[in-house]
Amino acid sequence: MKQYIAILPMLDEEKNKLHRPAHLVYLAELERKGSIYLKARFVDGVGGMVIYNAQSLEEAEQLAYQDPLVIHGARSCEFHELLIV
């Protein structure tokens, strides 16, 4: 299993507030399945990040693009593969 970080910059604060509850439910389900290594929000309010456990970048992207915040345009995504040392 590899780890991929999705950096999720804020695009729309109002949409973020509206869809945050569904986002948290979605992430909790992924955590339960073992698909999330770590998640965090940035203290300065500019967004957050999720580190996914996935077999490929494509799998990590699929997980992130199903996030309600991304679906509804509250956040964008930027991906990088991690090597945790």
Side-chain angles (χ1 to χ4, degrees), residues 3-70:
Q3 284 76 38
Y4 298 88
I5 186 169
I7 300 170
L8 302 161
M10 184 79 65
L11 295 176
D12 186 313
E13 288 186 35
E14 288 304 312
K15 287 181 181 178
N16 190 75
K17 288 178 189 174
L18 180 63
H19 298 289
R20 189 167 187 270
H23 162 75
L24 295 176
V25 168
Y26 179 69
L27 292 184
E29 179 62 20
L30 291 181
E31 280 186 302
R32 187 186 68 71
K33 293 178 180 178
S35 297
I36 291 181
Y37 180 82
L38 179 82
K39 64 184 184 341
R41 62 184 173 108
F42 302 138
V43 176
D44 60 6
V46 300
M49 44 100 6
V50 178
I51 299 176
Y52 292 100
N53 294 315
Q55 296 295 330
S56 66
L57 175 60
E58 292 77 19
E59 181 184 340
E61 288 175 334
Q62 284 181 326
L63 294 171
Y65 293 145
Q66 293 176 42
D67 186 319
L69 291 181
V70 176

